[in-house]
Amino acid sequence: MSIDRVILFIGPPGSGKGTLSQKCVQKLGWQQISTGDLCRRHIAKQTEIGKSIDFAIKSGKLVSDGLISQMVFDWFRQENIESDVVILDGYPRTVNQAKDFDELADQLGDSAQVIVVKFVIDDTVVVDRLVNRYICKNKSCQQVYSLSAGSKLAPQSDMACDSCGSELIKRKDDNADAIRERLKVYHLHESDLISHYVQAGYEIYEFKSDLPIDQLFTEFAETMGGRAHDSNKK
Ligand code: ADP
């Protein structure tokens, strides 16, 4: 399958990049890579890479650019890509990664358009979301829940997944210190990263991501379906 579009999701932690990606996978048949998931897979399998990045992840710091770009390059080389649209969730996060990705995009061929999407949300909303976020422990499910008062994402039964019944757990980096660090790191790189793409002539598709997920998905899918097919650059 040749790739038509690679959509880069740039946004703070907890801005719903993963949830929106999942919707796109389920409803549009697109494919998604999350560099956070690739890292957590290494940690779970206790690979050498996993052992070397465990501390960075737990404390909310970035993994080195070289290691992350290599994971993404390997994914494109090894993965059986079955969709013409691929979402990159959480990559690139730094200008160095963006430069690495520019090289990869060249290798994907002329037909592959790169589309840059930026999510905007208040830090206070992010903190509330992440402090209250629980995920299904079952690796093949990983459904996301919220224990925030009145949230539509609350599980129906106490601390068990509605879909598969497994226990709900917290991610190791969803604690107050790591959340603060992840937000700080995101804001440190965001404007340089966006400038990299603006200077290269890309349009930045911006979405407010404090909307209910179904509404965000509808707006996003309409925008991507309507305009982004035609041209990635202004
Ligand atoms: P979030 O965006 O909510 O922090 P992710 O699951 O996307 O969560 O990422 C979790 C962690 O994985 C990050 O805090 C970082 O340590 C590591 N990581 C993921 N993507 C990158 C990246 N592109 N560059 C460096 N580190 C990354």
Side-chain angles (χ1 to χ4, degrees):
M1 167 78 70
S2 73
I3 299 177
D4 271 358
R5 285 179 284 168
V6 180
I7 305 182
L8 311 181
F9 275 8
I10 298 174
S15 57
K17 304 183 298 288
T19 311
L20 182 61
S21 304
Q22 280 308 322
K23 282 254 173 212
C24 294
V25 170
Q26 287 157 10
K27 297 200 172 218
L28 305 173
W30 293 358
Q31 223 153 327
Q32 172 235 21
I33 333 174
S34 149
T35 41
D37 285 348
L38 294 179
C39 291
R40 283 185 288 275
R41 241 172 264 165
H42 274 286
I43 293 172
K45 287 188 188 156
Q46 299 190 315
T47 64
E48 284 310 309
I49 291 179
K51 287 177 199 160
S52 73
I53 64 179
D54 191 25
F55 183 72
I57 303 259
K58 261 189 233 154
S59 44
K61 301 201 182 305
L62 290 185
V63 170
S64 75
D65 292 330
L67 213 48
I68 284 284
S69 291
Q70 193 58 50
M71 285 183 204
V72 174
F73 279 48
D74 288 348
W75 187 90
F76 274 95
R77 218 184 37 239
Q78 292 161 4
E79 187 77 13
N80 186 14
I81 298 176
E82 289 166 344
S83 165
D84 54 355
V85 185
V86 174
I87 295 175
L88 274 183
D89 166 2
Y91 179 89
R93 284 191 203 207
T94 65
V95 172
N96 280 339
Q97 292 178 18
K99 288 178 182 165
D100 290 342
F101 180 70
D102 291 344
E103 283 177 27
L104 175 65
D106 284 344
Q107 291 168 25
L108 293 175
D110 290 341
S111 66
Q113 297 180 344
V114 175
I115 294 175
V116 184
V117 174
K118 178 184 169 195
F119 298 99
V120 182
I121 189 165
D122 265 6
D123 283 3
T124 47
V125 180
V126 163
V127 172
D128 179 69
R129 279 187 181 180
L130 295 183
V131 164
N132 289 296
R133 176 166 77 175
Y134 282 77
I135 50 170
C136 174
K137 191 180 180 181
N138 175 356
K139 290 265 177 303
S140 55
C141 176
Q142 294 207 313
Q143 185 83 29
V144 176
Y145 294 92
S146 172
L147 299 194
S148 234
S151 171
K152 285 189 179 156
L153 295 176
Q156 277 163 12
S157 51
D158 198 22
M159 297 308 279
C161 176
D162 295 347
S163 307
C164 72
S166 302
E167 185 191 346
L168 302 186
I169 54 167
K170 274 200 90 63
R171 253 171 61 169
K172 284 186 183 151
D173 57 353
D174 278 350
N175 63 72
D177 285 348
I179 293 168
R180 238 190 327 271
E181 182 64 22
R182 282 152 68 201
L183 279 167
K184 191 178 99 191
V185 169
Y186 176 76
H187 291 302
L188 189 68
H189 293 283
E190 183 197 47
S191 65
D192 288 346
L193 190 55
I194 295 295
S195 299
H196 173 86
Y197 287 108
V198 170
Q199 278 163 21
Y202 287 86
E203 179 168 356
I204 311 295
Y205 292 86
E206 195 168 302
F207 293 89
K208 285 198 177 17
S209 59
D210 52 358
L211 301 174
I213 181 62
D214 288 336
Q215 199 176 330
L216 176 61
F217 172 73
T218 304
E219 280 187 19
F220 174 75
E222 274 174 16
T223 308
M224 292 296 113
R227 295 165 61 209
H229 249 313
D230 307 332
S231 165
N232 54 336
K233 293 194 179 180
K234 281 192 242 182

